[in-house]
Amino acid sequence: MDCIFCKIVAGQIPCHKLYEDARTLAFLDIGPVSRGHALVLPRAHAVMLDELGADDATAIGQALVKVGRAIVRAVGAEAWNVLQNNGEMAGQLVPHVHFHIVPRFNGDGFSYRWNPRKLSDDDAAALKDAIARELGSRQ
């Protein structure tokens, strides 16, 4: 496989490893947006978050909390973001599920735009019903 993260998991490409367990790996990002910026990913290859099995998803959630807490304490961050992109249009550059832990500091210059829109009651009701149908069909 030609996935850079799979090669890191396999030990073929070095990384600054922070944490690992049977299902996950965490390491420092080589292009950090803040001091301590790290990636947490499943060892198993999956491109999109919804392709992960329940055990891998659970392990990722646990690793995010453990690694995030350690990074924040180690670098003295005031807060932290957890960011994850699904698909190229959403900003995913490496086609392997991964989460960014980004420690935040006052004046760090990191930002992203959130442009909220209005949600009408009619649209909310239609969306709720459509999503509920999808959730029901997948259980």
Side-chain angles (χ1 to χ4, degrees):
M1 185 171 283
D2 199 32
C3 171
I4 191 168
F5 287 169
C6 287
K7 289 178 180 178
I8 291 171
V9 166
Q12 298 169 349
I13 297 175
C15 69
H16 296 284
K17 190 182 305 180
L18 301 175
Y19 174 81
E20 66 180 325
D21 60 30
R23 294 188 173 276
T24 67
L25 176 65
F27 51 91
L28 292 174
D29 192 303
I30 62 169
V33 297
S34 70
R35 188 165 187 268
H37 178 175
L39 302 176
V40 179
L41 51 108
R43 289 178 173 279
H45 182 80
V47 175
M48 304 285 271
L49 184 60
D50 62 328
E51 295 172 5
L52 286 182
D55 290 340
D56 286 330
T58 298
I60 286 284
Q62 292 170 339
L64 284 168
V65 171
K66 185 179 290 189
V67 174
R69 185 181 295 131
I71 290 170
V72 166
R73 290 178 181 164
V75 301
E78 298 174 34
W80 53 302
N81 289 105
V82 175
L83 306 171
Q84 198 273 332
N85 305 315
N86 280 287
E88 192 174 328
M89 183 179 285
Q92 185 178 17
L93 299 177
V94 178
H96 185 118
V97 172
H98 59 285
F99 290 79
H100 295 261
I101 295 175
V102 182
R104 301 303 305 274
F105 305 90
N106 189 24
D108 63 16
F110 178 70
S111 68
Y112 52 90
R113 294 190 73 84
W114 197 285
N115 297 313
R117 297 179 171 95
K118 300 279 184 198
L119 177 64
S120 71
D121 289 339
D122 288 344
D123 194 27
L127 281 168
K128 179 183 70 88
D129 291 345
I131 294 167
R133 279 192 303 277
E134 288 298 317
L135 287 169
S137 69
R138 306 249 188 299
Q139 292 179 1

